[in-house]
């Protein structure tokens, strides 16, 4: 059986017409998703921990950030970063950079809430035990609290990353050539709408599914880390893993 | 000064009347559709007939996994091909409503699952007909449990409504974009639009959090 | 006696007015666990029977089967001459459909350990909802009856109250009134005082004793309160591992049990 390149222009009919463009767009969508995710997770960790701080002022700063970015829509933020901010500061972002920044800031704010909630859900006895063992605050966080909180973060983070993927479609509005952009371009230039939209939706769905699979893997790993599951005896036992 | 106050004062009234009206219509219309349709989807999802519950589950999952923007395109571009012509605003309300119905369906489902088993059993023991068990015992309790989450989705719909500007709806965002493109200067209109959403969304979420706490007691 | 089957088709057992409840070789399994093993037992109309025994012995399952909250794995149950989880089609027995279940449920009422009052209705509505919706009683009539019942359970002043504002004992009394409003012939009491604070237990027990003595209600009661069991019942059944180990009148069971397992059980619960 010969493998068929799904992005080939030699596919029959509308497929051959659309897929090369959609694939190019899909790559941009993946790149912005990845960039946005990295930024969002980094922000979520920092701000989430700040929001769990004992210092009122630190908590306050985190709170303001979170409320601000959760309070407005991404599209407005994106527009502001790309079109409005340059007038104010004289600095013009590249459109992909502006997009990734908006995604990261917005979803990062939601992620902070996830991190804060997860840290708070770690039983206080754990913190007390760590204090009793004379851990430094950093050690407490790094070795006791975070590993446990991490497990609780994964499922809501999965949802957030899917939201982020979906939100990348808004970058098309500032003419980033992502999947949504390429699809709309194809439709405007006369390709069969129904087929193009169906293909776009399916590609987005597959990406969402990919994220879920990835996060499930991470969840399994994280779970094992804190002993939620039987630890594997040996490192190299994938057969057992599959059979379970 | 970089900020143009004259222009600000000139565009502010339009943004806060014309634009606001459309944004409110889109939000409320979308929310009503999402809340009603979501309940039906949740009930279908719980059907004992697999040929109903499975497809409904799959479709809602699919809609939740794909972008609202693309779904708006589908409604906006494809429906007219089938002879359905609507205003952009109606199109947008349907898009928003259907998209968020797939989220509220999950909310209702959790609410229904949260009704204690004892309530069902007591209702059966009292020989209440099945539809009355749903109507007078289960759904009132399930909906009550769902209220805070539904409130959050109301705010979410409000915040996502600017996306309708992409399919030419002239809401606050649409108007801001229009004004901005006239002078090719977006700073003022977009900033005003942003502040507008902030000023409504933040108190709304605080209100909902309070409601949530009250329902917990 | 009302039966759904054609007169010519009724078996002797079905026409027999001697039994209100009849279990015939009833088996109930949950997965691999057998809760009831070929259980046979009969209850006469108006009889008051208490089921005792260690937890997990299948007592509550019997009540839940009678209330059609569970279905038998095999065997048959009859209530007042009607098959409960089966119905006749021609000369075969087939699993009961919803209509048949609703028909036989009319005869049975149940009071739960956790009261299970509907939190979205006030006390009065809790009592009237089922008569109005299930029996089609006009609302004003149902309300008059409900107020009478509330009078009887000494909560006449709480009709408009929300259930959550009542004490556990008061809630359970409302639940009893609610069950009685449906005028059942059989009343099932599932550990009705177990969830109550100790000081509220006796009020509910007194009420049930009165109800037991007044009417010709058939009572089936699961309890861990041996005094209550003794006060309320004509007959006590001792259960263990899904079977009846011993039965007799309360005096005999509680003072001179013949079976070792009954003695062990009584010793454990009475702390003697």
């Amino acid at each position: 059986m010969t493998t068929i390149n799904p992005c080939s222009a030699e596919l029959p009919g509308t497929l051959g017409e659309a897929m090369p463009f959609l694939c190019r767009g899909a790559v941009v969508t993946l790149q912005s998703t990845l960039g946005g995710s990295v930024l969002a997770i980094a922000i979520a960790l920092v701000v989430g921990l700040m929001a769990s701080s004992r210092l009122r002022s630190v908590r306050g700063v985190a709170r303001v950030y979170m409320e601000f970015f959760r309070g407005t829509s991404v599209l407005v933020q994106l527009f502001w970063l790309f079109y409005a901010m340059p007038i104010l500061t004289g600095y013009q972002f590249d459109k992909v950079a502006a997009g990734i920044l908006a995604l990261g800031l917005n979803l990062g704010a939601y992620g902070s809430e996830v991190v804060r909630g997860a840290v708070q859900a770690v039983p206080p006895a754990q913190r007390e035990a760590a204090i009793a063992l004379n851990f430094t605050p950093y050690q407490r966080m790094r070795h006791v609290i975070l590993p446990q909180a991490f497990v609780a973060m994964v499922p809501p983070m999965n949802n957030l990353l899917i939201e982020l993927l979906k939100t990348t479609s808004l970058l098309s509005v500032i003419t980033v050539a992502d999947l949504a952009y390429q699809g709309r371009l194809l439709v405007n230039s006369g390709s069969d709408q129904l087929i193009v939209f169906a293909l776009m939706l399916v590609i987005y769905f597959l990406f969402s599914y990919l994220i879920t699979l990835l996060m499930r893997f991470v969840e399994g790993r994280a779970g094992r880390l804190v002993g939620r599951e039987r630890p594997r005896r040996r490192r190299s036992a994938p057969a057992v893993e599959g059979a379970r | 000064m970089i900020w143009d106050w004259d222009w600000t004062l000139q565009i502010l009234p339009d943004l806060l009347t014309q634009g606001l009206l459309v944004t409110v219509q889109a939000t409320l219309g979308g929310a009503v559709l999402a809340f009603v349709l979501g309940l039906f989807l949740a009930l279908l999802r719980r059907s004992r007939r697999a040929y109903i519950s499975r497809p409904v589950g799959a479709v809602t999952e699919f809609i939740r996994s794909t972008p609202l923007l693309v779904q708006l395109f589908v409604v906006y571009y494809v429906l007219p091909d089938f002879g359905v012509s609507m205003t952009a605003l109606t199109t947008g309300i349907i898009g928003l409503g259907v998209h968020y119905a797939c989220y509220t369906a999950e909310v209702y489902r959790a609410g229904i699952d949260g009704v204690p088993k004892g309530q069902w059993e007591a209702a059966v023991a009292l020989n209440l007909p099945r539809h009355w068990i749903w109507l007078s015992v289960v759904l009132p309790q399930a909906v009550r449990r769902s209220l805070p989450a539904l409130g959050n989705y109301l705010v979410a719909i409000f915040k996502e409504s600017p996306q309708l500007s992409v399919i030419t709806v002239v809401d606050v965002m649409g108007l801001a974009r229009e004004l901005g493109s006239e002078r090719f200067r977006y700073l003022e209109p977009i900033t005003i639009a942003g502040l507008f959403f902030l000023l409504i969304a933040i108190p709304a979420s605080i209100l909902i959090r309070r409601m949530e706490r009250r329902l917990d007691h | 006696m009302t039966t759904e089957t054609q007169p010519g088709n009724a078996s002797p057992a079905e026409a027999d007015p001697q039994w209100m409840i009849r279990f015939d070789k009833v088996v109930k399994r949950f997965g691999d666990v057998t809760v009831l093993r070929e259980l046979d037992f009969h209850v006469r109309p108006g009889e008051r029977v208490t089921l005792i025994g260690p937890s997990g012995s299948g007592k509550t399952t019997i009540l839940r089967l009678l209330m059609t909250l569970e279905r038998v794995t095999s065997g048959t149950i009859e209530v007042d001459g009607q098959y409960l989880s089966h119905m006749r089609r021609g000369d075969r027995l087939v699993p009961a459909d919803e209509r048949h279940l609703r028909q036989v449920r009319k005869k049975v009422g149940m009071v739960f350990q956790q009261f299970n009052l509907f939190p979205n209705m006030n006390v009065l509505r809790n009592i009237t909802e089922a008569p109005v919706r299930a029996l089609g009683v006009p609302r004003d009539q149902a309300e008059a009856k409900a107020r009478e019942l509330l009078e009887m359970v000494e909560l006449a002043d709480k009709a408009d109250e929300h259930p959550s504002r009542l004490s556990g004992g008061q809630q359970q009394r409302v639940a009893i009134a609610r069950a009685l409003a449906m005028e059942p012939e059989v009343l099932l009491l599932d550990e009705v005082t177990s969830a109550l604070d100790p000081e509220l237990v006796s009020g509910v027990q007194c009420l049930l004793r009165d109800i037991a003595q007044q009417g010709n209600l058939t009572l089936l009661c699961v309890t861990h309160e041996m005094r209550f069991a003794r006060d309320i019942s004509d007959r006590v059944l001792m259960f263990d591992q899904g079977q009846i180990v011993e039965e007799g009148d309360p005096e005999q069971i509680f003072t001179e049990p013949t079976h070792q397992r009954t003695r062990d059980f009584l010793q454990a619960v009475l702390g003697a």
Side-chain angles (χ1 to χ4, degrees), chain C residues 149-164:
Chain C
L149 284 165
L150 281 174
E151 195 86 47
M152 183 190 82
V153 300
E154 292 170 1
L155 290 171
D157 54 329
K158 303 287 189 198
D160 301 319
E161 206 70 77
H162 191 265
S164 65

Side-chain angles (χ1 to χ4, degrees), chain A residues 174-187:
Chain A
I174 57 163
T175 70
V176 173
D178 73 337
L179 184 52
Y181 183 85
Q182 296 282 13
R184 205 176 176 203
L185 216 59
L186 279 166
V187 167

Side-chain angles (χ1 to χ4, degrees), chain C:
Chain C
M1 174 158 310
T2 54
T3 50
E4 283 185 328
T5 49
Q6 296 100 351
N9 230 348
S11 68
E14 263 181 300
D16 192 346
Q18 192 187 348
W19 307 116
M20 178 56 84
I21 297 170
R22 222 175 100 109
F23 274 57
D24 189 17
K25 291 206 177 56
V26 169
V27 176
K28 177 64 187 172
R29 273 194 288 268
F30 292 103
D32 297 337
V33 187
T34 304
V35 186
L36 299 178
R37 315 163 188 266
E38 302 226 335
L39 179 71
D40 289 303
F41 88 95
H42 303 154
V43 177
R44 276 190 300 279
E47 199 180 9
R48 299 177 293 251
V49 177
T50 300
L51 313 178
I52 62 170
S55 37
S57 58
K59 299 161 300 182
T60 292
T61 305
I62 290 172
L63 301 194
R64 293 174 59 82
L65 283 169
L66 276 165
M67 197 62 259
T68 68
L69 299 173
E70 311 278 358
R71 286 196 173 206
V72 293
T73 308
S74 69
T76 54
I77 302 172
E78 286 163 41
V79 172
D80 200 11
Q82 271 183 301
Y83 283 113
L84 191 64
S85 49
H86 298 79
M87 57 185 192
R88 275 175 185 276
R89 187 168 288 155
D91 46 339
R92 281 184 316 133
L93 282 182
V94 295
D97 60 14
E98 181 70 19
R99 244 187 74 206
H100 178 86
L101 287 176
R102 296 213 41 230
Q103 179 66 29
V104 288
R105 264 185 221 135
K106 274 187 192 166
K107 302 193 165 146
V108 187
M110 184 162 179
V111 183
F112 297 85
Q113 182 177 359
Q114 299 292 343
F115 335 135
N116 296 346
L117 292 182
F118 303 131
N120 54 318
M121 303 174 191
N122 67 15
V123 165
L124 193 71
R125 188 78 193 277
N126 257 284
I127 302 173
T128 58
E129 189 68 6
V132 171
R133 305 291 187 204
L135 301 178
V137 177
R139 186 167 288 283
D140 51 346
Q141 220 170 302
E143 284 188 2
K145 172 89 185 290
R147 287 186 195 282
E148 256 171 57
L149 284 165
L150 281 174
E151 195 86 47
M152 183 190 82
V153 300
E154 292 170 1
L155 290 171
D157 54 329
K158 303 287 189 198
D160 301 319
E161 206 70 77
H162 191 265
S164 65
R165 312 195 45 160
L166 304 183
S167 73
Q170 289 172 330
Q171 287 191 46
Q172 193 59 299
R173 272 143 62 192
V174 173
I176 290 166
R178 182 173 73 167
L180 292 177
M182 292 296 281
E183 302 186 337
E185 295 179 37
V186 179
L187 187 62
L188 309 172
L189 304 173
D190 185 12
E191 303 193 24
V192 290
T193 55
S194 301
L196 298 180
D197 291 336
E199 72 272 19
L200 302 174
V201 169
S202 70
V204 171
Q205 287 181 346
C206 283
L207 170 66
L208 286 170
R209 212 163 19 221
D210 290 347
I211 291 168
Q213 275 153 15
Q214 282 165 15
N216 43 2
L217 208 55
T218 307
L219 270 185
L220 207 57
C221 173
V222 169
T223 185
H224 288 120
E225 309 264 342
M226 294 307 137
R227 270 190 63 131
F228 177 57
R230 193 183 231 172
D231 286 354
I232 203 172
S233 44
D234 309 320
R235 185 151 60 108
V236 174
L237 304 183
M238 166 70 195
F239 269 81
D240 196 23
Q241 297 180 348
Q243 284 173 318
I244 298 171
V245 200
E246 181 171 0
E247 65 169 289
D249 69 76
E251 274 318 302
Q252 182 252 311
I253 295 275
F254 289 122
T255 51
E256 39 190 333
T258 51
H259 208 286
Q260 184 58 41
R261 262 188 276 175
T262 315
R263 259 174 260 153
D264 292 345
F265 171 71
L266 288 173
Q267 202 155 47
V269 289
L270 298 173

Side-chain angles (χ1 to χ4, degrees), chain A residues 94-107:
Chain A
D94 165 64
K95 53 194 173 188
V96 177
I100 288 176
L101 192 59
L103 289 172
L105 287 170
N106 185 271
L107 274 302

